[in-house]
Amino acid sequence: MSPAAGTPRPTGLGVVLAVLAAALLSAFLLFDTLPIGRWEGKLVLVPKGSPLPEVVRIFREGGILPHPFVFRALVQLTFSGRQLHYGEYAFPTPPSAFEAWRKLLRGDVIKYEVTVPPGANLYDVAKLLEEKNLAKAEAFLAAATSPAVLGRLDIPGESAEGYLFPDSYLLVKPVTPGEILEFMVRQFRRKIPPDAEKRAKEAGLSLHQVVTIASIIEKETGLEEEMPLVSAVIRRRLALGMPLQMDPTVIYGVKRFDGTVTRKDLRTAGPYNTYLNRGLPPGPIANPGLAALAAALSPSKEDYLYFVSRNDGSHTFSRTLTEHNRAVEEFRRAAREDEE
């Protein structure tokens, strides 16, 4: 029987391609098997820019794929080599070559959440990153004080302190300390009011000085409603040429970042000792949030010069030294009663 009219005859090339496709499919089904033996879950890190042979090597040495050539064939036959994503991948169960390929194609990488709270300083952030195994604390601190990095990020001063915006960040390995700094500083630039520099200049301050004031506010009070009042105290003391006498600056300067100030600390000379020095310290002492930044730009109109803790998170603000001394005595009396 002759072929029906209009039915194309199979060509030699078509037959060869069909046979080759069938052979490839058979080989794929035959060899795309799961790893055997005990499986305890595996993590695999694919560095940025890794070529296909490097990815195959990483997967083979990581014990992910028993037949890596199947994975390689999948990538090459689908022309997806440039669509594979770098990062850290988790394999809680043994994957087939197809499953591993699809995971890399989707970029189903592990994302590490790092939350920087308002008031955290560089050393707190470095500790967080080391706990997440994202960066060594020493390496992060070195990058945060590198003149080259600071110049690239347009940060004045000697460190990135104050410019690591408090927020939650999703980071993907591998990531360098410099890249982490860039993410956080970029968020600072996005979040700070667009007219902040203009408003700072109108007040006779630089933006760096405003960030420094905001960092002191952040460390002095956790109550948003008090922040403009603390800002007013700082501004008025600066205007009158009085020492700021802010304990958190002293603590930062003596590098006891979670401690309390002592008499010895108050007598220790240094650029951050606002009891011995007049004016602002040379830079921020923490990373302020939006509320503190807003308060630094817009202080209260109140003419307070002093404040003291009530030991419950709030403060008593005073206009005169007599009022302040009375408030201090009330605080001490309350503290003694709590101890009894």
Side-chain angles (χ1 to χ4, degrees):
M1 180 183 290
S2 61
T7 302
R9 292 176 177 273
T11 64
L13 179 59
V15 171
V16 170
L17 290 175
V19 171
L20 180 60
L24 287 172
L25 179 60
S26 299
F28 177 78
L29 294 174
L30 178 63
F31 290 107
D32 190 25
T33 56
L34 300 179
I36 58 175
R38 188 175 180 182
W39 187 273
E40 296 180 350
K42 297 181 185 294
L43 294 178
V44 178
L45 181 64
V46 178
K48 186 186 299 185
S50 297
L52 179 58
E54 178 68 7
V55 175
V56 171
R57 183 192 66 77
I58 291 169
F59 273 62
R60 184 183 67 251
E61 292 180 358
I64 302 298
L65 299 174
H67 302 291
F69 70 88
V70 177
F71 176 87
R72 182 195 291 268
L74 260 174
V75 175
Q76 292 175 333
L77 290 172
T78 57
F79 303 99
S80 57
R82 295 190 177 184
Q83 299 171 43
L84 302 181
H85 295 78
Y86 75 90
E88 187 178 36
Y89 292 86
F91 294 94
T93 57
S96 65
F98 178 78
E99 289 167 342
W101 168 75
R102 188 172 59 178
K103 202 176 187 73
L104 267 71
L105 198 61
R106 291 197 308 252
D108 188 13
V109 297
I110 301 172
K111 295 181 175 66
Y112 292 85
E113 183 173 3
V114 175
T115 299
V116 178
N121 59 38
L122 273 178
Y123 305 88
D124 299 323
V125 177
K127 183 180 178 183
L128 282 172
L129 293 171
E130 186 161 276
E131 287 172 352
K132 296 282 187 178
N133 200 26
L134 288 162
K136 292 291 185 184
E138 295 82 0
F140 180 78
L141 292 172
T145 53
S146 161
V149 173
L150 297 176
R152 189 176 74 247
L153 298 177
D154 194 25
I155 295 175
E158 298 180 351
S159 80
E161 190 76 89
Y163 297 89
L164 308 182
F165 190 77
D167 208 342
S168 290
Y169 298 88
L170 288 178
L171 301 175
V172 174
K173 292 182 181 180
V175 63
T176 67
E179 289 170 337
I180 297 172
L181 285 165
E182 188 173 345
F183 296 148
M184 295 180 177
V185 173
R186 192 185 304 148
Q187 188 71 333
F188 171 87
R189 306 285 185 204
R190 285 197 201 101
K191 294 290 187 177
I192 195 170
D195 62 345
E197 198 156 2
K198 175 176 175 290
R199 291 164 63 186
K201 189 175 181 180
E202 289 171 350
L205 300 166
S206 67
L207 181 60
H208 190 62
Q209 288 174 316
V210 166
V211 177
T212 301
I213 292 172
S215 72
I216 298 172
I217 295 169
E218 191 73 74
K219 298 301 286 186
E220 285 287 3
T221 182
L223 301 178
E224 281 193 31
E225 61 269 25
E226 285 190 351
M227 289 183 176
L229 298 175
V230 175
S231 183
V233 171
I234 294 172
R235 288 283 195 100
R236 190 154 186 245
R237 281 178 168 259
L238 290 174
L240 294 173
M242 294 176 63
L244 293 183
Q245 297 182 324
M246 303 285 174
D247 290 1
T249 66
V250 178
I251 293 170
Y252 187 86
V254 297
K255 294 184 169 51
R256 281 215 336 277
F257 305 104
D258 57 354
T260 54
V261 71
T262 66
R263 289 183 184 275
K264 181 182 177 181
D265 295 334
L266 298 181
R267 293 193 295 267
T268 301
Y272 288 89
N273 189 327
T274 55
Y275 281 80
L276 299 180
N277 307 321
R278 297 177 190 274
L280 289 169
I285 61 171
N287 295 286
L290 273 182
L293 286 165
L297 288 167
S298 301
S300 166
K301 301 300 183 184
E302 298 286 352
D303 57 349
Y304 293 127
L305 269 175
Y306 308 91
F307 60 90
V308 64
S309 171
R310 292 194 183 109
N311 213 26
D312 61 358
S314 66
H315 296 79
T316 298
F317 291 82
S318 305
R319 292 177 174 81
T320 68
L321 184 57
T322 301
E323 291 177 0
H324 177 63
N325 288 338
R326 189 182 305 127
V328 170
E329 184 53 40
E330 289 176 3
F331 164 73
R332 288 174 177 167
R333 187 185 307 116
R336 286 195 297 268
E337 290 173 357
D338 288 342
E339 290 175 359
E340 293 174 358

